[in-house]
Amino acid sequence: MNVRNITFALAAALSIAACTPKSGMDKYIDDLLSRMTLEQKIGQLNLHSAPGFISAEKVTEEDENAKLLRQGLLGGIYGSGDPELLRQCQEIALSSGAGIPLIFGMDVIHGHETVFPVPLALSTSWNPELVERMARISAKEAAATGINWVFSPMVDICRDARWGRIVEGGGEDPYLGGELAKAYIHGYQGYDDKYDTDEVLACVKHYALYGAALAGRDYNSVFLSRQEAMNGYMDPYKAAAEAGAASYMSSFNEFEGIPASMNEWLMDDVLRKAWGFGGFIVSDATAIAEEVNHGIGDLQEVSARSLQAGLDMDMNSDGYIGTLKKSLEKGRITEADIDRACRRILEAKYKLGLFEDPFRYFSKDRYAAEVYSEENRAAAREMARECQVLLKNNGILPLPASARVAVVGPLAKNAMAMTGTWALSSRRNESITLWQGISEVVDASYAEGSWLFKDAHLEENVRYGLYKAFVPGFQIPPIHPVSQEAMIAEAVAKARRSDVVIACVGEVPNLNGEGSSRVDISLPDAQQELLKALKATGKPVVMVLVTGRPLTLVWEDKAMDAILNVWSPGTEGGHAVADVLFGKANPSAKLTTTFPRSVGQLPLYYNHKNTGRPHPDTADYKKFVSCYIDEINAPLYPFGYGLSYTSFTYSDLRLSASEMPMDGSVTASVTVTNTGSCAGDEIVQLYIHDIYATSTRPVKELKGFQKVHIAAGQSVQVDFTLTAEDLSFYNHDLEWVCEPGDFEIMIGSSSRDVQGTTLRVQ
Ligand code: BGC
């Protein structure tokens, strides 16, 4: 059976279930359920954030959570990395109600205490092994703390850089996103559904289509056809299910007029029935309560509907514990609806081994050995080297260690900017800054150089918005205590006394991530002013860009001598960036999101459709074709783009056969030569284009990639095997089909730079 066909999978799945004998787990849970009261079952469906989500408070008698725990009304707790607090919660849970152990969740997104580059940066390595290793280390660190469930991977495809959460995902491409999703799942969970004490449940989020929020505004509506959703966005969620993901988190957005957290088509028809997902689904934080705002009904109605649509656990809405009993009494839901959800959560706890030993995840010894170890930090440095995209280089990089360097910019000494968004349990202030990393290698001077923004209100929100939201009574430090002019003057003076300027500019973490959408994605104005003043000194300027999203950098691309996009590179960021700046490592990362020239081009993505009136990307304006009057169609930096300190040429693209039968395969090969003077890694990309199909198809679709190491002057042959599966898509009836006909097969160094040939499929 082809499990991709949404319509036919259901019957097959049911017939398999009907003849499978009961496992030990099933019997255990049958027995447990038969002894649980209705309240206890509903309690299992309830998830709360820990007391002290941000600070490490202890559970007190008066705590709302402690009260719920004593009544057996919590199935899990999330958001604390404090082992003492978690242990305390577990003890209370075991001594109350049905004595069922809690699961402990946490937003371990790109590391736990050791922090790795933000997920968007990780994706630019195009290296699933790296991602799996990152997830493995994160799981070990989290597990040693008592956490057994991580709210990762975030696999939402995003084509609009205004959306702040683009930083949390793997970019705009569904194929690459799928490969990375599998790597995350295996890294966190291992390769079977038994969990060692250093393996944790993954939670794939945000299901589904959250990254398609209209106009890039967070939590906004999503308007996509099912066909476009299945072809352009769903692959990573599906790949994660196939890799055995244990849980999913429903998203905040609506799809087809139904909020995702009560969307039966998404959760039941697609995820469970078509893809065979057997785990549990948790709502995003307060997402059930938000369905009231969506205009679907009161809390009781939306809770009943979410449960029936397949949502098992309620995060922070209190909709399930508050209303399900009433709904049952009124006949709105059945006890079987509650049992089904409860069973899925109990199964997860059973697989984690919590019924055998509820404390198996806590270990002081493992904590001491595994967490923030030298080995993990070395891995963080190594990975961060591989996740920096060299966007421009006029030859100035790598810099010699003899250079006299002025390190300027408001991000140079900012440890949080290295740590990045969603790093709740990190040692965020200990991350190695750019200044630390650079000044360990060369003779350097420093100036902060500018504020983030010229507008004081914006500066306040960007710097302190998170504290204002979470820390009651937070005292805002003075904003702009020194004038921008004085700061620039100091930076310019230091620049004049140096050979080269390294300008550390970009986004601080609160300028991207959740709740940080932007309408203007240029470099913040105060920092642009600084760059202009530095440029005017005539000294070469290397821009080190810290960001969580693509920015519009047209001026910077012209004016700067080099641009190294380091994202938020993690705990060892400063060291890893210095490694690249001074040539200890050769950059190899390539973009997984398009960098537009102007925000007005958004959404902008490489795998777009041709339209009936296509216009070449770089051609001038022309009336009555698909283009803009005031900007070309081309992005500034396309998907798949990234430079190296060496150069590569592609030649001799060939197919093993020019025709392929439907059940056959063909090999596409290319020769890649390192034409520069140092060894380097090249990410070789294969794209296809279905020339005529029954539905319109994208101009290019990534279907393969390989990262190859090539010594200076050497050539390697890179082979890709293609089958009908690689050439298939969801047709108008949502059938997964490969249609006979001609396909363009393209291989190259980016989505813009490819060579092509034709393959006939029959
Ligand atoms: C976010 C999720 C996160 C959850 C729990 C929500 O606001 O959307 O990504 O996992 O909070 O912290």
Side-chain angles (χ1 to χ4, degrees):
M1 181 186 61
N2 184 344
V3 287
R4 280 195 180 239
N5 283 344
I6 304 299
T7 34
F8 303 120
L10 169 60
L14 290 178
S15 65
I16 294 167
C19 45
T20 315
K22 283 204 167 176
S23 65
M25 176 177 79
D26 290 342
K27 288 184 199 149
Y28 184 92
I29 292 172
D30 284 349
D31 175 56
L32 189 55
L33 275 171
S34 73
R35 289 185 284 112
M36 287 169 76
T37 63
L38 178 67
E39 285 77 8
Q40 287 165 353
K41 289 180 196 170
I42 296 175
Q44 286 303 303
L45 317 187
N46 192 27
L47 177 72
H48 269 201
S49 47
F53 186 54
I54 293 288
S55 59
E57 296 161 22
K58 295 286 172 261
V59 180
T60 64
E61 287 296 310
E62 303 78 50
D63 244 354
E64 200 213 329
N65 280 331
K67 286 185 202 149
L68 291 173
L69 279 173
R70 262 181 234 108
Q71 297 166 61
L73 292 182
L74 276 178
I77 293 235
Y78 79 94
S80 172
D82 174 357
E84 286 314 308
L85 182 140
L86 299 180
R87 185 179 275 279
Q88 199 187 355
C89 291
Q90 193 69 297
E91 275 159 8
I92 304 175
L94 292 169
S95 61
S96 55
I100 295 174
L102 298 164
I103 43 172
F104 294 119
M106 184 80 187
D107 285 284
V108 176
I109 308 294
H110 51 114
H112 185 57
E113 290 196 27
T114 308
V115 175
F116 301 90
V118 285
L120 186 58
L122 289 169
S123 73
T124 63
S125 71
W126 298 58
N127 185 348
E129 278 167 29
L130 177 149
V131 167
E132 182 172 337
R133 188 170 162 221
M134 180 312 290
R136 186 87 284 284
I137 297 172
S138 307
K140 279 188 180 183
E141 287 202 359
T145 317
I147 291 158
N148 40 39
W149 182 28
V150 294
F151 297 161
S152 174
M154 190 282 213
V155 299
D156 304 328
I157 294 297
C158 179
R159 298 168 169 180
D160 192 330
R162 289 173 292 183
W163 193 49
R165 303 198 78 170
I166 196 171
V167 61
E168 294 176 52
E172 71 192 36
D173 183 70
Y175 173 77
L176 176 61
E179 294 302 298
L180 299 181
K182 287 187 255 176
Y184 276 107
I185 301 301
H186 290 140
Y188 291 133
Q189 299 190 170
Y191 283 81
D192 53 31
D193 66 359
K194 290 195 185 66
Y195 294 84
D196 289 337
T197 48
D198 61 0
E199 292 168 344
V200 296
L201 305 179
C203 184
V204 182
K205 66 191 192 185
H206 303 85
Y207 191 74
L209 309 168
Y210 183 31
L214 210 62
R217 201 180 75 202
D218 212 352
Y219 319 115
N220 209 357
S221 314
V222 165
F223 297 116
L224 283 173
S225 68
R226 287 189 185 191
Q227 190 187 17
E228 185 53 17
M230 292 308 294
N231 282 319
Y233 289 82
M234 295 291 259
D235 263 9
Y237 305 115
K238 175 174 177 288
E242 284 167 3
S247 72
Y248 278 66
M249 185 185 292
S250 69
S251 53
F252 291 123
N253 55 284
E254 66 167 87
F255 174 62
E256 297 184 319
I258 312 287
S261 300
M262 56 163 62
N263 196 308
E264 201 171 329
W265 185 75
L266 286 175
M267 290 189 285
D268 239 22
D269 294 350
V270 177
L271 180 57
R272 290 212 162 93
K273 289 169 186 156
W275 297 344
F277 169 66
F280 71 99
I281 307 178
V282 62
S283 78
D284 202 339
T286 66
I288 295 181
E290 290 168 28
E291 290 164 349
V292 178
N293 296 341
H294 277 284
I296 298 290
D298 63 11
L299 189 60
Q300 183 169 343
E301 171 56 20
V302 297
S303 300
R305 218 170 129 177
S306 299
L307 181 74
Q308 288 186 326
L311 186 82
D312 306 307
M313 198 176 220
D314 167 359
M315 189 196 298
N316 275 359
S317 289
D318 287 346
Y320 283 4
I321 51 164
T323 70
L324 288 187
K325 194 171 171 200
K326 266 185 254 159
S327 292
L328 182 64
E329 284 159 7
K330 286 196 164 167
R332 173 69 182 80
I333 59 168
T334 64
E335 192 156 353
D337 292 329
I338 294 171
D339 284 359
R340 189 177 50 238
C342 185
R343 176 182 292 277
R344 290 180 184 139
I345 290 157
L346 296 175
E347 281 175 359
K349 293 182 177 184
Y350 184 96
K351 288 179 187 164
L352 282 171
L354 296 180
F355 290 112
E356 276 167 42
D357 176 4
F359 296 96
R360 72 192 285 259
Y361 276 88
F362 297 97
S363 163
K364 286 195 172 135
D365 291 347
R366 274 190 288 122
Y367 184 90
E370 301 281 1
V371 177
Y372 208 65
S373 62
E374 247 176 64
E375 196 186 336
N376 293 356
R377 295 206 304 277
R381 179 172 182 166
E382 200 185 302
M383 291 183 208
R385 286 168 166 175
E386 211 178 316
C387 299
Q388 299 171 46
V389 190
L390 184 61
L391 295 174
K392 178 178 180 189
N393 187 13
N394 67 4
I396 191 163
L397 292 181
L399 296 169
S402 57
R404 283 180 312 146
V405 171
V407 179
V408 299
L411 279 86
K413 284 195 177 176
N414 188 327
M416 280 285 282
M418 299 294 99
T419 312
T421 188
W422 277 122
L424 293 178
S425 17
S426 66
R427 306 194 190 186
R428 50 184 79 88
N429 298 320
E430 288 179 35
S431 293
I432 305 297
T433 64
L434 296 169
W435 163 253
Q436 281 172 282
I438 295 166
S439 60
E440 277 174 25
V441 181
V442 280
D443 181 16
S445 62
Y446 166 78
E448 188 174 358
S450 80
W451 296 113
L452 301 175
F453 285 96
K454 293 171 79 171
D455 178 82
H457 182 62
L458 190 51
E459 179 98 19
E460 178 184 311
N461 277 339
V462 169
R463 278 189 195 268
Y464 306 113
L466 201 61
Y467 300 93
K468 287 201 302 191
F470 279 114
V471 186
F474 177 75
Q475 290 298 312
I476 298 160
I479 302 295
H480 295 175
V482 184
S483 78
Q484 165 86 355
E485 292 71 29
M487 293 173 89
I488 290 189
E490 187 197 355
V492 163
K494 299 219 163 126
R496 290 215 166 94
R497 288 199 293 273
S498 63
D499 304 326
V500 58
V501 183
I502 300 180
C504 305
V505 291
E507 293 192 329
V508 290
N510 195 38
L511 196 47
N512 54 64
E514 184 171 355
S516 293
S517 294
R518 297 179 66 187
V519 294
D520 174 358
I521 56 165
S522 59
L523 203 62
D525 51 6
Q527 302 179 57
Q528 284 187 37
E529 250 183 36
L530 169 66
L531 291 184
K532 286 182 179 146
L534 294 171
K535 171 82 184 159
T537 64
K539 295 284 178 178
V541 186
V542 173
M543 173 169 146
V544 171
L545 176 65
V546 177
T547 181
R549 57 153 65 78
L551 299 178
T552 49
L553 301 169
V554 172
W555 178 83
E556 291 80 354
D557 181 65
K558 280 202 194 89
M560 297 291 101
D561 292 275
I563 304 178
L564 181 64
N565 179 12
V566 304
W567 310 103
S568 278
T571 297
E572 283 290 316
H575 285 147
V577 172
D579 290 342
V580 172
L581 288 173
F582 297 98
K584 203 163 158 186
N586 187 354
S588 61
K590 298 205 182 203
L591 296 177
T592 56
T593 43
T594 301
F595 272 50
R597 305 175 66 82
S598 155
V599 73
Q601 294 174 306
L602 295 176
L604 190 66
Y605 46 100
Y606 86 93
N607 50 351
H608 60 85
K609 301 286 182 71
N610 203 33
T611 82
R613 296 187 178 193
H615 191 54
D617 258 10
T618 50
D620 264 357
Y621 169 69
K622 193 171 153 204
K623 192 90 176 154
F624 303 128
V625 291
S626 186
C627 66
Y628 300 99
I629 203 161
D630 52 356
E631 185 53 277
I632 56 172
N633 282 352
L636 179 62
Y637 306 122
F639 175 86
Y641 169 84
L643 302 171
S644 160
Y645 292 154
T646 186
S647 49
F648 301 98
T649 57
Y650 285 62
S651 59
D652 201 17
L653 169 65
R654 59 215 176 270
L655 297 176
S656 56
S658 58
E659 296 191 357
M660 185 183 93
M662 267 305 165
D663 57 354
S665 69
V666 67
T667 303
S669 308
V670 74
T671 302
V672 185
T673 305
N674 181 340
T675 50
S677 54
C678 63
D681 290 341
E682 169 69 341
I683 298 164
V684 183
Q685 301 155 41
L686 178 137
Y687 297 89
I688 64 145
H689 174 215
D690 191 344
I691 296 170
Y692 292 129
T694 52
S695 292
T696 59
R697 304 298 307 132
V699 294
K700 279 192 189 97
E701 295 176 81
L702 182 77
K703 290 294 172 182
F705 58 88
Q706 283 179 45
K707 195 170 196 166
V708 285
H709 182 79
I710 314 179
Q714 298 296 303
S715 297
V716 297
Q717 179 178 317
V718 181
D719 299 324
F720 296 92
T721 304
L722 287 168
T723 66
E725 180 71 12
D726 303 300
L727 307 174
S728 299
F729 70 103
Y730 288 97
N731 68 12
H732 195 68
D733 299 322
L734 297 189
E735 293 157 342
W736 179 246
V737 289
C738 175
E739 296 178 349
D742 287 350
F743 291 79
E744 237 182 308
I745 308 297
M746 296 160 273
I747 302 185
S749 63
S750 79
S751 63
R752 185 170 63 191
D753 183 11
V754 291
Q755 303 174 11
T757 183
T758 306
L759 172 69
R760 168 149 298 185
V761 177
Q762 48 203 3

